[in-house]
Amino acid sequence: MCCFLFKSCSIFLSLFLLITSCQAVSFNTIFFNSTAAAAADSDTSFSSRKLVASKCNWFQGKWVYDSSYPLYDSSTCPFIDSEFNCQRNGRPDSSYLKYRWQPFSCNLPRFNGLNFLEKWRAKKIMFVGDSLSLNQWQSLTCMLHVWVPNSKTTVIRRDGLSSVTFEEYGVTILLYRTPFLVDLVNEKDGVVLKLDSINGGRAWEGMDMLIFNSWHWWTHTGRSQPWKYMQEGNKKYTDMNRLIAFYKGLATWARWVNRNVDPSKTKVFFQGISPTHYEGRDWNQPAKSCPGETQPFFGQRYPAGTPMAWVVVNKVLSRIKKPVYLLDVTALSQYRKDAHPSAYNDDHSTDCSHWCLPGLPDTWNQLLYAFLFS
């Protein structure tokens, strides 16, 4: 049943991508309603099943209170940016720090930073993507640091490329900032988002592990939109349906993986779609947003359903020839309406997009650890 439903989503998406721009408005309604219902009924995606341990699906479970959490203290981790350091920014509650993800039919292995550093000795691990990748990158460096607090580290922070090296082990955790994965180029007539070009991918070569992420910036419009045109081939567009653009960009990334990744040398992951919690109607409380939320959503199924970007990601991953593993964090993250910085960030704006550290991205890294050590 699950496979049938996912294939249905894929068929709908394929049809969607063939619709001309003049038909897009009417078809959007049909596509969004149909694929949302089908995806919501699906227990697991085609790609996430690659990360199922024996008979256990790590992504199906519930949040449970655990007094032993968090896994580290934000006051002793030197790598957390102020925008994610909710406790230092005055967040008065702390229960959001105490929740552990519990799969229904198994237990996730407890994260062991020494095991991680030993197994990946002399290796390079790179997160590639937007500020959600920054969130996960800082989480992993903190999770490792708490195990070796006296180990020498070398930190390099730049706009495009940053790294933390644990010198004793020769392990380097890198972050390459590229919100779209495809190229963003300054040209005479303005900034152009190249949907079919990844020249920046040269920086990803030679890594032992790559963890990719993209989606949030594809939805930006107006002043927060960093490009003037989109381009595919020789044709430029002032805009197009953002799901179609995301699909095209992600398909370009998939071709890059197929051409450039040697699976015997490099493991590749894609971080699933990270949800936002700006709209309380998503969890049946339309008057609310993430500020003031102190508990996860505890219902069996998240009312907003599955994001359409999730369908796009699974469609693209199902066609990649090289092994790429999906960290299918979308559903488990949807429950965590309580885990955002909200107003407790560095500029006190309302942030229902990123996540406090310690916090939810630690679970994403526990899932990564589970795959690597199971």
Side-chain angles (χ1 to χ4, degrees), residues 116-135:
F116 191 104
L117 290 167
E118 286 291 353
K119 178 170 181 177
W120 291 89
R121 182 180 287 274
K123 303 292 186 183
K124 293 181 178 180
I125 299 166
M126 178 180 278
F127 291 89
V128 182
D130 56 26
S131 52
L132 276 306
S133 292
L134 171 66
N135 232 176

Side-chain angles (χ1 to χ4, degrees), residues 5-24:
L5 288 170
F6 181 76
K7 287 180 179 177
S8 298
C9 289
S10 298
I11 292 169
F12 277 118
L13 181 59
S14 299
L15 291 171
F16 181 49
L17 295 169
L18 291 174
I19 297 298
T20 63
S21 58
C22 65
Q23 297 171 305

Side-chain angles (χ1 to χ4, degrees), residues 36 113 133 138 175 292 308 312:
S133 292
Q138 292 186 359
L175 171 70
M308 289 304 98
V312 173

Side-chain angles (χ1 to χ4, degrees), residues 291-347:
E293 294 296 313
T294 60
Q295 298 289 326
F297 175 82
F298 287 116
Q300 286 190 333
R301 179 163 292 174
Y302 192 66
T306 303
M308 289 304 98
W310 180 94
V311 179
V312 173
V313 167
N314 279 273
K315 176 68 175 179
V316 171
L317 293 186
S318 71
R319 293 181 169 183
I320 292 184
K321 297 176 182 179
K322 300 290 179 68
V324 176
Y325 303 97
L326 175 63
L327 293 174
D328 197 4
V329 301
T330 302
L332 65 90
S333 301
Q334 284 180 315
Y335 296 132
R336 295 308 307 273
K337 58 185 173 64
D338 61 314
H340 296 285
S342 62
Y344 301 103
N345 52 49
D346 50 359
D347 62 3

Side-chain angles (χ1 to χ4, degrees), residues 284-296:
N284 288 341
Q285 291 184 306
K288 292 191 173 184
S289 184
C290 79
E293 294 296 313
T294 60
Q295 298 289 326

Side-chain angles (χ1 to χ4, degrees), residues 216 274-279 282-283 302 340 352-353 355:
H216 278 208
S274 177
T276 63
H277 290 93
Y278 288 102
E279 302 290 340
D282 288 348
W283 61 92
Y302 192 66
H340 296 285
C352 301
S353 176
W355 307 94

Side-chain angles (χ1 to χ4, degrees), residues 41-192:
D41 288 336
S42 178
D43 289 333
T44 185
S45 68
F46 172 89
S47 299
S48 70
R49 284 200 296 270
K50 294 179 181 179
L51 269 182
V52 174
S54 61
K55 296 181 180 180
C56 177
N57 186 326
W58 292 323
F59 309 108
Q60 292 183 349
K62 61 182 179 180
W63 289 100
V64 298
Y65 190 88
D66 188 332
S67 61
S68 70
Y69 272 49
L71 299 177
Y72 56 89
D73 189 325
S74 61
S75 66
T76 60
C77 180
F79 311 123
I80 302 178
D81 285 349
S82 178
E83 62 182 306
F84 307 138
N85 199 335
C86 302
Q87 289 294 301
R88 191 178 75 178
N89 290 325
R91 181 163 177 171
D93 63 304
S94 60
S95 61
Y96 72 94
L97 296 168
K98 299 293 185 180
Y99 286 97
R100 171 176 55 83
W101 180 247
Q102 177 61 59
F104 287 132
S105 54
C106 65
N107 293 317
L108 286 175
R110 187 80 175 184
F111 185 89
N112 186 310
L114 284 174
N115 285 350
F116 191 104
L117 290 167
E118 286 291 353
K119 178 170 181 177
W120 291 89
R121 182 180 287 274
K123 303 292 186 183
K124 293 181 178 180
I125 299 166
M126 178 180 278
F127 291 89
V128 182
D130 56 26
S131 52
L132 276 306
S133 292
L134 171 66
N135 232 176
Q136 190 177 3
W137 174 69
Q138 292 186 359
S139 163
L140 181 59
T141 56
C142 289
M143 291 170 72
L144 294 172
H145 178 265
V146 72
W147 282 84
V148 288
N150 298 318
S151 182
K152 181 183 177 183
T153 56
T154 299
V155 180
I156 298 173
R157 295 297 301 268
R158 296 173 183 157
D159 288 341
L161 181 64
S162 300
S163 66
V164 175
T165 300
F166 292 83
E167 298 290 353
E168 181 180 346
Y169 301 89
V171 176
T172 301
I173 316 294
L174 301 102
L175 171 70
Y176 185 94
R177 295 290 293 271
T178 173
F180 301 98
L181 299 182
V182 292
D183 294 329
L184 203 60
V185 180
N186 279 302
E187 297 188 351
K188 291 182 179 180
D189 53 351
V191 178
V192 181

